Amino acid sequence: MHQIVTKQKTFFQTNVTKDISFRIEQLKKLERVLKENEHFLNQAIFSDFKKSEFDNYTTELGIIYTEINTACKKLHKWASTKRVTTNFLNFPGKSYIIPEPLGITLIIGAWNYPYQLSISPAIAAIAAGNTVILSPSEISVATSALLAKIINSTFDPAFFKVVEGGIPETTELLNQKFDKIFFTGSTTVGKIIYEAAAKNLTPVTLELGGKSPVIIDKKCNLKICVKRLVWAKFLNAGQTCIAPDYVCVDASIKTEFLKQLTLEIKASNFKIENSNYVQIINEKNMKRLISLIDPEKIYLGGTYNYEENTIEPTVLTDVSFDDKIMEDEIFGPILPIITYKNIDEIIAQIKLKPKPLACYIFSNKNAFIKKIEKEISFGSGAINDAIMQISNENLPFGGVGQSGIGSYHGEYGFKTFSHYKSILKKSTLFEPNLKYFPLSDLKLKIIKFLMHLKL
Ligand code: NAD
């Protein structure tokens, strides 16, 4: 590990990565090699948890290609030096900001979107002019091996290298000194990463998880909202960081909501063979999820198959905030429903929990939407939809509080991997004697005037 990092340091110091055309060339190379290997990428992700070609394009590769295309198109603008106004006190002079790469970066990915969560941050890091060491999750075995094979046979390891392995290898990597660590995963491991980074004062971006609520108002387009909710919840069998975790629905529409929910789940016919469902990643997660299904509260579903590693879309009703399922992020195809009569009580309960990664509001009433937007802090969200905010690269993607630190996607990814170097360039034409000895009341008066003079 030490050798890999040292090689990248030496390479970074050649300044090659500071050349914009080098970065664009590398990004295009990445796109080319991924496109050439699409068939194998489909095979590997199917082997890991039966994710279909359809889902692999819409939720992984398509997003990666969009990120590459945007970066290539906008890189000159993002990386350009920006002039800013110079204040009167520094007259005559110029002020500008130079975006510069941080250096050697470590990216640690999660298994649930094994391509997107590893490659998208790498795109941002490369676009910003850094070198990359990528550690994909060892849990998605086939995709991790394939990423290593593709990347390591395409790129100079001194520039971009995949290091496979589990906790021991990642721990060893974390003992090295990086200029930036970008981590996607659980809040528990996020704390380990933050602690390791602190030893070297390495800046971090932590993309973590949390319990993302859905709040349904009695005034909403229920049919469309339920359709979107069901798609978002059971996509990837609920193993999505920004999946709706639980639903809070106005008691007055509970019956109609459950009726629509049942119809939509049945019509969706979630099955691996229909390309719209996946396996639970492993036995450990199967056991964890099954233990969360309270048989007394099953409204729909509840069956599972250990041989296939699947759990049927499951809806639990009459759930309260004290139930076990409301403790931690579910990360699976189980949807608890809580009903409310008073929205203030629901807001208060949500605020007792750590700040969620996402929040979804289904309502036609502006006052209702604004109230929740104002009162609840969350990473990102959507009104009358769920998950789709991630598909707009003009929106920063990230958490807040326990759900994460920092953000990325589009230009926000470039910013995450850059330092903005501020420079004041002074003229040497003259130098007023104002700040120099001997000081006087008159000088102070003039300084006070100049300091607050607006340009
Ligand atoms: P995880 O935290 O178990 O693992 C993530 C990565 O950390 C893996 O690469 C793993 O090898 C590594 N790791 C695990 N234990 C480690 C240790 N002790 N020291 C060093 N490295 C270690 O998470 P996961 O199970 O892969 O993913 C599920 C979690 O990730 C969920 O909480 C989910 O919400 C979150 N997630 C967040 C986002 C996001 O963008 N915010 C995206 C996907 C998943």
Side-chain angles (χ1 to χ4, degrees):
M1 304 293 181
H2 183 68
Q3 258 183 4
I4 300 168
V5 175
T6 309
K7 272 191 187 156
Q8 291 214 345
K9 273 194 181 133
T10 312
F11 184 74
F12 184 72
Q13 271 154 19
T14 63
N15 289 324
V16 171
T17 66
K18 292 187 181 160
D19 186 352
I20 306 293
S21 57
F22 171 84
R23 301 182 202 176
I24 292 176
E25 197 185 302
Q26 301 306 312
L27 290 174
K28 290 201 164 148
K29 201 202 273 190
L30 178 61
E31 183 182 25
R32 200 168 52 242
V33 77
L34 291 174
K35 286 198 164 154
E36 280 165 10
N37 282 283
E38 250 181 39
H39 173 68
F40 301 108
L41 291 161
N42 286 333
Q43 270 184 345
I45 206 160
F46 190 79
S47 148
D48 275 339
F49 55 118
K50 302 283 180 285
K51 188 155 165 168
S52 67
E53 184 181 335
F54 188 95
D55 275 3
N56 192 31
Y57 195 86
T58 53
T59 67
E60 307 253 9
L61 302 179
I63 293 177
I64 291 171
Y65 298 148
T66 306
E67 285 280 333
I68 293 179
N69 289 332
T70 307
C72 289
K73 226 184 272 164
K74 306 226 169 125
L75 198 48
H76 282 284
K77 188 172 165 227
W78 294 346
S80 64
T81 297
K82 314 233 169 8
R83 274 285 293 272
V84 292
T85 314
T86 302
N87 55 345
F88 243 104
L89 215 52
N90 285 307
F91 185 79
K94 276 186 195 168
S95 300
Y96 50 92
I97 302 165
I98 307 175
E100 68 173 17
L102 292 168
I104 320 306
T105 67
L106 170 64
I107 295 168
I108 303 173
W111 59 263
N112 59 328
Y113 289 87
Y115 299 137
Q116 195 217 126
L117 300 176
S118 296
I119 301 291
S120 285
I123 293 164
I126 292 171
N130 302 277
T131 70
V132 179
I133 294 176
L134 169 63
S135 166
S137 170
E138 76 285 10
I139 292 177
S140 40
V141 187
T143 51
S144 169
L146 184 62
L147 279 180
K149 192 173 157 202
I150 295 176
I151 303 294
N152 294 346
S153 60
T154 306
F155 293 92
D156 179 350
F159 168 63
F160 186 7
K161 165 95 180 154
V162 173
V163 175
E164 277 200 277
I167 297 174
E169 289 78 8
T170 318
T171 307
E172 208 189 319
L173 270 175
L174 288 170
N175 286 333
Q176 311 304 315
K177 190 177 178 322
F178 287 93
D179 299 301
K180 170 86 189 184
I181 299 176
F182 186 106
F183 170 81
T184 303
S186 60
T187 301
T188 311
V189 180
K191 289 178 186 170
I192 297 172
I193 307 292
Y194 205 8
E195 212 176 319
K199 290 197 186 102
N200 292 312
L201 285 182
T202 302
V204 292
T205 297
L206 301 176
E207 297 283 341
L208 311 176
K211 284 187 91 59
S212 302
V214 176
I215 305 167
I216 307 184
D217 181 21
K218 57 178 179 288
K219 290 267 186 296
C220 72
N221 186 335
L222 199 57
K223 209 167 167 202
I224 287 188
C225 289
V226 167
K227 197 173 181 66
R228 293 174 181 169
L229 165 68
V230 167
W231 174 84
K233 175 69 192 185
F234 300 107
L235 176 76
N236 224 31
Q239 301 166 115
T240 304
C241 56
I242 48 168
D245 188 275
Y246 61 97
V247 168
C248 305
V249 62
D250 190 297
S252 66
I253 59 161
K254 179 190 171 189
T255 312
E256 184 56 24
F257 167 70
L258 288 174
K259 189 178 137 201
Q260 294 288 342
L261 191 66
T262 309
L263 285 174
E264 189 54 40
I265 292 175
K266 291 201 167 144
S268 299
N269 201 6
F270 289 105
K271 285 205 170 61
I272 288 167
E273 56 268 35
N274 291 341
S275 298
N276 64 352
Y277 213 48
V278 299
Q279 289 181 324
I280 302 304
I281 190 71
N282 54 23
E283 198 184 331
K284 187 176 152 206
N285 273 290
M286 277 293 285
K287 285 193 174 141
R288 180 184 62 78
L289 287 165
I290 289 161
S291 79
L292 294 176
I293 303 175
D294 178 348
E296 309 243 299
K297 300 201 169 176
I298 297 174
Y299 176 80
L300 196 72
T303 61
Y304 46 87
N305 183 331
Y306 263 114
E307 267 154 42
E308 284 180 359
N309 264 8
T310 51
I311 298 177
E312 192 190 4
T314 297
V315 176
L316 305 181
T317 45
D318 299 321
V319 175
S320 84
F321 277 92
D322 300 325
D323 287 6
K324 185 172 170 226
I325 196 152
M326 292 304 293
E327 281 170 16
D328 296 315
E329 180 184 3
I330 298 169
F331 219 56
I334 309 168
L335 185 61
I337 312 292
I338 294 173
T339 48
Y340 68 86
K341 289 201 171 108
N342 179 348
I343 189 61
D344 289 313
E345 282 170 17
I346 284 295
I347 292 173
Q349 287 287 347
I350 293 172
K351 283 163 85 171
L352 285 176
K353 295 188 160 296
K355 294 177 182 180
L357 184 60
C359 179
Y360 303 113
I361 309 161
F362 290 161
S363 174
N364 292 337
K365 280 191 305 193
N366 240 351
F368 185 90
I369 296 165
K370 293 284 164 225
K371 180 181 174 69
I372 294 167
E373 280 178 348
K374 186 174 168 190
E375 292 199 32
I376 301 177
S377 177
F378 51 86
S380 70
I383 316 297
N384 295 323
D385 208 341
I387 290 191
M388 291 306 288
Q389 75 273 21
I390 198 176
S391 66
N392 181 358
E393 56 183 348
N394 299 316
L395 290 171
F397 180 74
V400 55
Q402 295 270 80
S403 58
I405 297 174
S407 62
Y408 71 131
H409 286 185
E411 190 175 5
Y412 296 97
F414 179 89
K415 287 182 174 166
T416 285
F417 285 96
S418 297
H419 165 63
Y420 284 81
K421 191 156 63 184
S422 304
I423 297 179
L424 169 70
K425 186 177 179 193
K426 284 291 277 274
S427 160
T428 50
L429 279 179
F430 66 92
E431 174 62 351
N433 222 13
L434 279 174
K435 66 185 180 207
Y436 301 107
F437 187 80
L439 306 178
S440 69
D441 286 348
L442 178 64
K443 281 183 172 181
L444 184 58
K445 249 189 201 162
I446 298 171
I447 286 177
K448 277 184 181 173
F449 173 74
L450 289 176
M451 276 182 92
H452 304 297
L453 196 63
K454 289 273 171 280
L455 282 175

